[in-house]
Amino acid sequence: MIPTFRFAPSPNGYLHRGHALSALLNFRAAERQGGRFLLRIEDIDRTRALARYEDAIYEDLGWLGLAWEEPVLRQSARFPAYGAALDSLAKLGLLYPAFLSRGEAAGLIADRERSGKPWRRDPDGAPLYPGLERDWSDQRRRSEIASGRPYALRLDMARASGGLPPLGWTEADPFAPAVRSRRTAEPLAWGDVVLGRKDVPASYHLSVVVDDAFQGVTHVVRGRDLAAATSVHRVLQALLGLPEPLYFHHRLVLDENGHKLAKSRGSQAIRVLRAAGVSPAEVAAGIGL
Ligand code: GLU
């Protein structure tokens, strides 16, 4: 099997120094291991993905000295594959339509919390979905859908993980192949994650797992901020019969206040540094490479 790495940015802002670290680590690891380096454009959010950001991704990565295989996979061309994955999860009886908006769920949770008991949060800090619709009859589901209300398709996580053996993943530094450790997946910490929506048969968790398998990705190298999501990804891989890649969740590039970089932070954008006369080698050195 050829070691296959990927960098998978979302074109909803300009790439910053944190993206440069992720892209360069993947590119150099592929080079070091005589493997492949793929670029994947994660543009399923059609309201936020913009062509100018996608063009800037190619330009900025090229300027940093990266080269990737063509054609580049764009997730917006992959909705049929995500729809098929959702269908197979639905056939397993693991999906349910969830109708509460974020605001409605927040209101319900606030009510419950007033009674004194704190509501559980997921690893990103969002309250777990209440899941009142989990046990609705098929008939009730069908009639709510027919009424035209918007809904999300959520994974019944307790049921899904209850039917699987305990899962985990191997954390392996691609530059130090002897250093490996096994991590335990904790999918219940996420509750019933969204896998699709009424009009969009996809979510980040679903598309990333389907495409890593489709592209033969053997090494997922990404920031530490995505480490907890790997628990969800392992469940989806197990349910969909997809292979388990190796993972490496690298350090994050922080700003001067110790915060994780956000796409909105213009001063950290690769193109802003470039316009200011910073060289690619200086960008790499500035992020510790
Ligand atoms: N598209 C995701 C992002 O921009 C990264 C996905 C991944 O590496 O799993 O943060």
Side-chain angles (χ1 to χ4, degrees):
M1 218 180 344
I2 306 177
T4 302
F5 294 80
R6 54 47 163 201
F7 175 58
S10 306
N12 52 22
Y14 292 119
L15 299 185
H16 54 55
R17 294 160 70 238
H19 295 107
L21 176 63
S22 220
L24 282 163
L25 286 176
N26 275 287
F27 179 71
R28 291 183 181 184
E31 248 181 2
R32 170 91 60 107
Q33 297 195 18
R36 305 170 64 200
F37 172 69
L38 310 176
L39 174 61
R40 183 168 74 223
I41 302 294
E42 303 217 317
D43 58 349
I44 53 171
D45 185 344
R46 304 309 291 145
T47 58
R48 294 176 66 215
L50 296 180
R52 72 162 184 275
Y53 293 134
E54 185 178 332
D55 293 343
I57 288 171
Y58 303 133
E59 202 180 285
D60 293 347
L61 295 180
W63 177 78
L64 280 171
L66 273 64
W68 50 90
E69 289 184 18
E70 298 282 355
V72 167
L73 189 73
R74 302 171 76 236
Q75 291 194 319
S76 52
R78 297 270 301 146
F79 286 117
Y82 311 142
L86 276 181
D87 284 348
S88 50
L89 296 173
K91 284 206 187 87
L92 296 171
L94 297 175
L95 298 185
Y96 67 91
F99 295 91
L100 292 188
S101 67
R102 204 181 293 223
E104 287 167 334
L108 190 141
I109 291 162
D111 275 353
R112 299 281 168 90
E113 283 193 322
R114 266 193 282 281
S115 71
K117 214 173 148 221
W119 193 269
R120 284 181 58 202
R121 315 257 148 183
D122 72 22
D124 286 343
L128 299 198
Y129 188 71
L132 305 178
E133 308 94 332
R134 210 178 283 132
D135 300 318
W136 284 6
S137 67
D138 278 349
Q139 194 195 347
R140 180 151 184 212
R141 287 178 183 176
R142 272 197 300 271
S143 77
E144 289 290 336
I145 289 174
S147 78
R149 276 177 82 182
Y151 61 90
L153 285 171
R154 288 184 177 266
L155 181 68
D156 183 338
M157 189 62 93
R159 192 164 172 169
S161 55
L164 295 168
L167 297 171
W169 70 89
T170 299
E171 200 60 38
D173 183 338
F175 300 97
V179 185
R180 286 180 175 220
S181 61
R182 192 76 189 155
R183 303 291 159 87
T184 304
E186 286 164 23
L188 293 175
W190 288 95
D192 297 347
V193 292
V194 171
L195 295 186
R197 296 190 187 277
K198 185 183 176 191
D199 307 308
V200 189
S203 72
Y204 160 64
H205 294 306
L206 185 77
S207 59
V208 85
V209 156
V210 168
D211 285 341
D212 281 338
F214 174 69
Q215 296 190 284
V217 171
T218 55
H219 295 66
V220 174
V221 174
R222 59 186 176 192
R224 227 167 247 174
D225 50 339
L226 290 172
T230 308
S231 289
V232 177
H233 301 171
R234 289 292 301 119
V235 166
L236 293 175
Q237 285 158 353
L239 294 171
L240 294 167
L242 304 175
E244 175 190 341
L246 292 173
Y247 287 90
F248 179 58
H249 294 97
H250 61 71
R251 65 189 165 83
L252 299 179
V253 178
L254 304 178
D255 66 16
E256 59 281 6
N257 301 316
H259 296 126
K260 183 184 139 184
L261 300 185
K263 284 218 174 83
S264 51
R265 285 296 306 274
S267 62
Q268 304 281 347
I270 294 166
R271 54 188 33 233
V272 171
L273 297 170
R274 181 174 116 203
V278 178
S279 72
E282 286 166 337
V283 170
I287 51 179
L289 293 178

